[in-house]
Amino acid sequence: MTTDRPGVLASVRDDFPRWYQDVLEKAELADNGPVRGTMVIRPYAYAIWERMQAEVDARIKAAGAENVYLPLFIPQSYLEREAEHVEGFSPELAVVTHAGGKELTEPVVVRPTSETVFGEVMAKWVQSHRDLPLLLNQWANVVRWELRPRLFLRTSEFLWQEGHTAHASREDAAAYARRIHLGVYRDFLQEVLAIPALVGVKTRRERFAGAIDTLTCEAMMGDGKALQMATSHELGQNFARAFGITYSDADGVEQTCWTTSWGSSTRMMGGLIMSHGDDRGLQVPPRIAPIQVVVLAVKDDPDVAAATARIAAALTEAGVRVRVDERTNQGFGRRATDWELKGVPVRIEVGPRDVAAGTVTVVRRDRREKAVVAADGVVAAIVETLSALQVEFAASARRRLDERIVDVETLSDARAAAATGFARIPWSVLGEDGERELNEGAVTVRCLQTPDGRIPSGSDAGELVAIVGRSY
Amino acid sequence: MTTDRPGVLASVRDDFPRWYQDVLEKAELADNGPVRGTMVIRPYAYAIWERMQAEVDARIKAAGAENVYLPLFIPQSYLEREAEHVEGFSPELAVVTHAGGKELTEPVVVRPTSETVFGEVMAKWVQSHRDLPLLLNQWANVVRWELRPRLFLRTSEFLWQEGHTAHASREDAAAYARRIHLGVYRDFLQEVLAIPALVGVKTRRERFAGAIDTLTCEAMMGDGKALQMATSHELGQNFARAFGITYSDADGVEQTCWTTSWGSSTRMMGGLIMSHGDDRGLQVPPRIAPIQVVVLAVKDDPDVAAATARIAAALTEAGVRVRVDERTNQGFGRRATDWELKGVPVRIEVGPRDVAAGTVTVVRRDRREKAVVAADGVVAAIVETLSALQVEFAASARRRLDERIVDVETLSDARAAAATGFARIPWSVLGEDGERELNEGAVTVRCLQTPDGRIPSGSDAGELVAIVGRSY
């Protein structure tokens, strides 16, 4: 504990896992629920999640998909329909055996995903080629029993969206999966969360069960580890065959659909925290921040209160999300520290001297730099600062990624690099044997991409690069 | 089946329950889920629900409450803490006994409400009088095992919001419950859904277990029956005592809080359907309609396609929610009927003759009146029509309510009136004995209100009026 830090948090460098736990608690983001592995999402974190949902949802709708709601409960027999599916999930399932005061004839499973129910309804809703593409999405809670829970990253219940689509051709399915992956996920992560995302495909070993290709967005956290932020799967005709999703084509001939699925979850909250946080707490990029600016009244004073209200109104008018903090019965330092913990990007301090001088003090959360600004120029200054901050958040995350990713040519160099970040190694050098060897040391291939960082297409197969690292 | 109806639906007058089922199916609103009592909400209905959520949520936020997310699973022991609570719920509970591949030491219950977990977290989050009022809300799915399910009205799983608040005084709690009840629920129902809501308090018999007062919004459906659309409870100090929600006041003395809770659910979808639907299907008031106007291309023709796109763009520009239907490979009559089934308030038909004449045909869904409108005046005409329709939907629902509610002075007249609508009877005439007698014939007191239709306060107790009717 140095005097430079308020001493409430472990430091990012010394103990990242402890720091993460501290931020969750001190910034009032999340608590453990009463049942092991479950989570209470507190108001401030939930407000961030609501903004994440709105941003991702708008992009999903722009890609033409419609939202539905499918039931929480799934008959156990459904999960046996697709063998690979059960294989992947059964130890994670929560099973309801009693309901309505008695034992059920057939136990029901709490959805680990709604995939099987999507299969059912898609088979019903797709009849003709005119029904294609069928583009569906769902926002819901899902349950996968977790023995080593970690809030936001791995919880027994989490919130997510899962999209499921059916197409007439493999090309159309592949193009749509890429459209979602780049236009929804990567765009949201980079533009809104200011998190640079490496895109690529998973290896056969890491691929989703039943998928012919899994696209992923991988981000580097503050400790150099990887977090998988979203995945999009091309399911080929495997899923459609298991559920009988067929259509009659223009000639009346029955054809099997090509399907995709894709998802992102409250895990992105964990990614946000671990991407931008520092020793003083969370840092929220302006575009996702529920509170972009907090206006702090330094003292209980009518002129200060009037100035505070005037500034807040002017900022709100300009479309800035503002919170006024007039809790002058609490210490100013404590309140300032609290807002830093919560990562509000900009703080405006208004005291009697500021009012007298016709100024305010503007403090950027990232650098903790104070600037005295004329009160009548504060709106323009804030709007400019927020827009600059958004760019700088992204640049700073990109800088860390660039600094901690190295090109290597051997497995041992890859392993060494993964201790502090990522390694880039030619897939022709690594291969499936090398991948297995790295796995033994908890280093995994995060994705395969083209040398210039694109999602590979069939023709790129010869010269792929593997991104390897440790992961959450 | 008369030629005036497309013959796809049962008629509202002849068989309302059948008509309701038909609308759900033919307008593609909802299906039964694979587990009995569960529901698949299809895209069009879910889009309406999303708008309901957004409207209700904005009002809740304007009332100062913040959203949280609490876990789906609750330890069984939690529900035993508040005796009255268990009493009310235990036959409805779904219980998870197995998870993670083995039997759980303590079974967990799938939340029938998050009330008990709210109790827990509120006890933690409230310490000082400075933490009050604590105003929380949650949007989530809940499960109450249902033996006689009916889509949207009574399903084993449903979507809802539940608000829970803690206050320093009874007055503050009472005022907040009223603020939510009138400012969120009644306002939303009347202004957005165009459903007149009778407000009042529940009798002791109908009151929520543990509440000292339950406020309700009661609406009349197309068959004259009542649907409870939302309730708000003053819980006194009962709930706070059960969960230890206390605060230290300004003098440092520990005090027990006064709490409220309030909720609304996907049941409102059922209310929307049964309030405005007619023999041709659903009717959606413009303010809640995901599609306010459908622009139908009558024929596959480049000039028609261009005109259609132009009109859609101009309407979108004006803030109207538009869908273009260019499925000219399907019969025009069939498509028009489909959009009537879905209750899109206004249809614009564009054919080659319209294009040549510089006109379009505008059809109001409610009266099925066609009007020829100059293409360059269509935006103004539509904006005006939508605004008129919103008013007329409300007026028409109000007219039905007024026609089917009668003032009576005896129990037998009340019973007779309840066969086709509601009765208003002085509570001093009815009383708890009369209430019990009516109940035997499935007629219930929907609410008690003042003679001029307000929520009673303590001083109104002498002259209350009971609204009685049959209910869903």
Side-chain angles (χ1 to χ4, degrees), chain A residues 209-290:
Chain A
I212 59 170
D213 224 349
T214 289
L215 315 182
T216 183
C217 285
E218 301 283 327
M220 184 187 280
M221 302 294 102
D223 60 351
K225 282 195 189 176
L227 188 69
Q228 177 180 302
M229 302 289 275
T231 50
S232 309
H233 314 291
E234 279 183 68
L235 302 172
Q237 293 183 307
N238 297 335
F239 183 75
R241 252 185 239 110
F243 288 92
I245 309 173
T246 61
Y247 67 98
S248 62
D249 67 17
D251 303 320
V253 179
E254 189 171 13
Q255 304 282 358
T256 299
C257 288
W258 298 79
T259 70
T260 79
S261 71
W262 25 278
S264 63
S265 73
T266 33
R267 169 172 258 226
M268 291 191 297
M269 279 292 306
L272 178 74
I273 298 165
M274 295 196 298
S275 285
H276 300 302
D278 67 9
D279 283 357
R280 304 191 70 82
L282 183 62
Q283 290 208 77
V284 192
R287 280 194 65 183
I288 196 74

Side-chain angles (χ1 to χ4, degrees), chain A residues 34 40-43 50 61 67-69 71-72 78 91 93 95-100 111 125 130 141 145 157 329, chain B residues 34 41-43 50 61 67-69 71-72 78 91 93 95-100 111 125 130 141 145 157 329:
Chain A
V40 170
I41 306 180
R42 302 188 65 172
E50 284 182 316
K61 286 187 169 126
N67 287 339
V68 294
Y69 188 77
L72 176 69
Y78 266 49
L93 296 178
V95 185
V96 174
T97 54
H98 292 71
R111 62 180 164 218
W125 298 348
R130 283 191 292 259
N141 55 343
W145 210 257
E157 178 194 7
N329 54 356
Chain B
I41 307 180
R42 302 188 65 173
E50 284 181 316
K61 286 188 170 126
N67 288 339
V68 294
Y69 188 79
L72 175 70
Y78 266 48
L93 297 178
V95 185
V96 174
T97 54
H98 292 71
R111 62 180 163 217
W125 298 348
R130 283 192 291 258
N141 53 344
W145 211 255
E157 178 194 7
N329 54 355

Side-chain angles (χ1 to χ4, degrees), chain B residues 293-457:
Chain B
V293 174
V294 60
V295 185
L296 264 87
V298 174
K299 273 197 174 167
D300 183 14
D301 172 291
D303 292 340
V304 166
T308 302
R310 211 161 44 232
I311 291 165
L315 286 168
T316 302
E317 175 81 6
V320 176
R321 296 185 287 277
V322 186
R323 173 74 62 91
V324 170
D325 178 352
E326 297 186 298
R327 297 171 296 166
T328 46
N329 54 355
Q330 291 175 42
F332 177 77
R334 166 69 188 278
R335 289 188 289 145
T337 305
D338 270 357
W339 291 114
E340 290 186 350
L341 258 169
K342 286 199 155 70
V344 172
V346 177
R347 176 170 91 230
I348 299 177
E349 302 174 354
V350 184
R353 251 177 293 173
D354 296 296
V355 175
T359 61
V360 296
T361 304
V362 173
V363 190
R364 279 173 58 141
R365 161 69 180 81
D366 60 340
R367 301 188 198 147
R368 304 186 67 221
E369 279 173 7
K370 295 199 176 200
V372 174
V373 172
D376 58 8
V378 70
V379 170
I382 291 293
V383 168
E384 196 188 310
T385 301
L386 290 174
S387 139
L389 274 169
Q390 184 72 30
V391 174
E392 289 177 38
F393 269 105
S396 145
R398 166 64 62 185
R399 215 175 303 123
R400 179 178 63 222
L401 176 61
D402 290 344
E403 281 167 11
R404 297 209 190 174
I405 191 167
V406 292
D407 289 299
V408 301
E409 294 289 336
T410 68
L411 259 71
S412 65
D413 283 354
R415 208 178 283 118
T420 54
F422 297 171
R424 236 191 243 110
I425 183 169
W427 180 236
S428 58
V429 172
L430 187 62
E432 296 197 345
D433 290 344
E435 182 183 15
R436 201 172 311 116
E437 220 181 305
L438 285 182
N439 284 185
E440 284 160 15
V443 175
T444 49
V445 177
R446 307 312 310 152
C447 65
L448 301 177
Q449 53 177 216
T450 63
D452 59 347
R454 285 178 300 104
I455 297 175
S457 62

Side-chain angles (χ1 to χ4, degrees), chain B residues 74-90 93 112-120 162 164 208-212 233-245 259 261:
Chain B
I74 302 176
Q76 204 159 31
S77 57
Y78 266 48
L79 298 188
E80 287 150 20
R81 198 167 311 182
E82 205 202 4
E84 290 183 90
H85 198 84
V86 178
E87 204 64 37
F89 282 120
S90 81
L93 297 178
T113 112
S114 287
E115 183 166 272
T116 57
V117 189
F118 270 105
E120 280 292 303
E162 57 181 306
H164 293 266
F208 179 66
I212 60 171
H233 314 291
E234 278 183 68
L235 302 172
Q237 294 184 306
N238 297 334
F239 183 75
R241 252 185 240 111
F243 288 92
I245 309 173
T259 69
S261 71

Side-chain angles (χ1 to χ4, degrees), chain A residues 31-35 38-44 46-47 50 57 61 66-75 78 90-102 104 108 110-111 117 120-121 124-125 129-130 136 139 141 143 145 147 156-157 159 323 329-330, chain B residues 31-35 38-44 46-47 50 57 61 66-75 78 90-102 104 108 110-111 117 120-121 124-125 129-130 136 139 141 143 145 147 156-157 159 323 329-330:
Chain A
D31 280 343
N32 291 307
V35 171
T38 65
M39 168 170 61
V40 170
I41 306 180
R42 302 188 65 172
Y44 185 59
Y46 198 78
E50 284 182 316
D57 193 63
K61 286 187 169 126
E66 296 185 300
N67 287 339
V68 294
Y69 188 77
L70 305 182
L72 176 69
F73 294 141
I74 303 176
Y78 266 49
S90 81
E92 300 179 6
L93 296 178
V95 185
V96 174
T97 54
H98 292 71
K102 52 184 191 177
L104 296 173
V108 301
V110 182
R111 62 180 164 218
V117 189
E120 279 293 302
V121 301
K124 260 204 274 184
W125 298 348
H129 60 100
R130 283 191 292 259
L136 301 174
W139 290 94
N141 55 343
V143 169
W145 210 257
L147 297 177
S156 290
E157 178 194 7
L159 305 182
R323 173 75 62 91
N329 54 356
Q330 291 175 42
Chain B
D31 280 343
N32 290 307
V35 171
T38 65
M39 168 169 62
V40 170
I41 307 180
R42 302 188 65 173
Y44 185 58
Y46 198 79
E50 284 181 316
D57 193 63
K61 286 188 170 126
E66 295 184 301
N67 288 339
V68 294
Y69 188 79
L70 306 182
L72 175 70
F73 294 140
I74 302 176
Y78 266 48
S90 81
E92 301 179 4
L93 297 178
V95 185
V96 174
T97 54
H98 292 71
K102 53 184 190 176
L104 296 173
V108 302
V110 182
R111 62 180 163 217
V117 189
E120 280 292 303
V121 301
K124 259 203 275 183
W125 298 348
H129 61 100
R130 283 192 291 258
L136 301 175
W139 290 93
N141 53 344
V143 169
W145 211 255
L147 297 176
S156 289
E157 178 194 7
L159 305 182
R323 173 74 62 91
N329 54 355
Q330 291 175 42

